[in-house]
């Protein structure tokens, strides 16, 4: 299993930490995709919807990726239409939120840089999650061995 395939766990018992993320970078990627028709082509090769921390951002980016894969333009109207078709438009904050993403980004020139920031944070979250899962497996295995030793000694 590669790091990219690891599931994301954002909460562990007893730990109230915010996983690595950069919401400004996420918003900048999405805003760039909305204002520049070529921006999606510059990030689609490496950036996955799962790399986004916010569910709303994942949904918006997945809609853009799906439009791109169908060779349709990625713009405000078509992304909103795609999200509406999926029943996700109101969940992500409606057209007003999508519009706000456009207003946050004056230019799409840095979309690849922002995309790599989002990607890196997604990878870090998956690594943290995998480390936590491995720690739980190790603890469970250790407890099982301790139980067996105690049973043998009694």
């Amino acid at each position: 299993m590669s790091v990219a395939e690891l599931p994301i766990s954002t909460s562990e018992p007893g730990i109230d930490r915010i996983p690595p993320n950069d919401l400004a970078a996420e918003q900048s990627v999405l805003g760039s995709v909305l204002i520049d028709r070529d921006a999606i082509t510059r990030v689609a090769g490496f950036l996955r919807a799962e790399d986004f921390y916010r569910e709303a951002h994942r949904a918006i980016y997945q809609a853009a990726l799906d439009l791109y894969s169908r060779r349709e333009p990625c713009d405000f109207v078509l992304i909103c239409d795609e999200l509406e078709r999926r029943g996700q438009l109101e969940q992500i904050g409606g057209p007003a939120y999508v519009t706000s993403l456009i207003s946050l980004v004056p230019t799409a020139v840095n979309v690849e840089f922002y995309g790599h920031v989002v990607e890196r944070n997604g990878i870090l979250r998956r690594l943290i999650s995998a480390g936590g899962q491995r720690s739980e497996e190790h603890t469970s295995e250790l407890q099982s061995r301790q139980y067996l030793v105690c049973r043998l000694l009694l």
Side-chain angles (χ1 to χ4, degrees), residues 15-115:
I15 298 177
D16 293 332
R17 295 184 187 154
I18 297 173
N21 70 85
D22 187 331
L23 295 180
E26 291 185 13
Q27 292 171 326
S28 295
V29 168
L30 297 172
S32 295
V33 167
L34 288 161
I35 66 170
D36 182 348
R37 65 185 177 128
D38 295 325
I40 189 73
T41 64
R42 296 174 26 214
V43 294
F46 66 89
L47 187 59
R48 302 170 5 168
E50 295 80 23
D51 292 330
F52 287 82
Y53 180 70
R54 284 199 62 217
E55 283 293 327
H57 294 168
R58 288 181 194 171
I60 295 166
Y61 186 72
Q62 188 62 58
L65 280 178
D66 292 346
L67 289 168
Y68 174 70
S69 71
R70 295 192 310 254
R71 299 180 193 271
E72 296 177 28
C74 296
D75 63 17
F76 170 79
V77 172
L78 293 173
I79 287 177
C80 285
D81 182 62
E82 184 71 14
L83 290 166
E84 180 68 34
R85 191 180 60 74
R86 297 174 183 199
Q88 296 177 314
L89 184 59
E90 292 310 313
Q91 293 172 357
I92 61 98
Y97 184 69
V98 179
T99 301
S100 74
L101 295 170
I102 294 170
S103 66
L104 292 171
V105 182
T107 178
V109 73
N110 295 321
V111 69
E112 291 170 90
F113 174 78
Y114 298 134

Side-chain angles (χ1 to χ4, degrees), residues 102 123 145:
I102 294 170
I123 290 169
R145 288 182 183 176

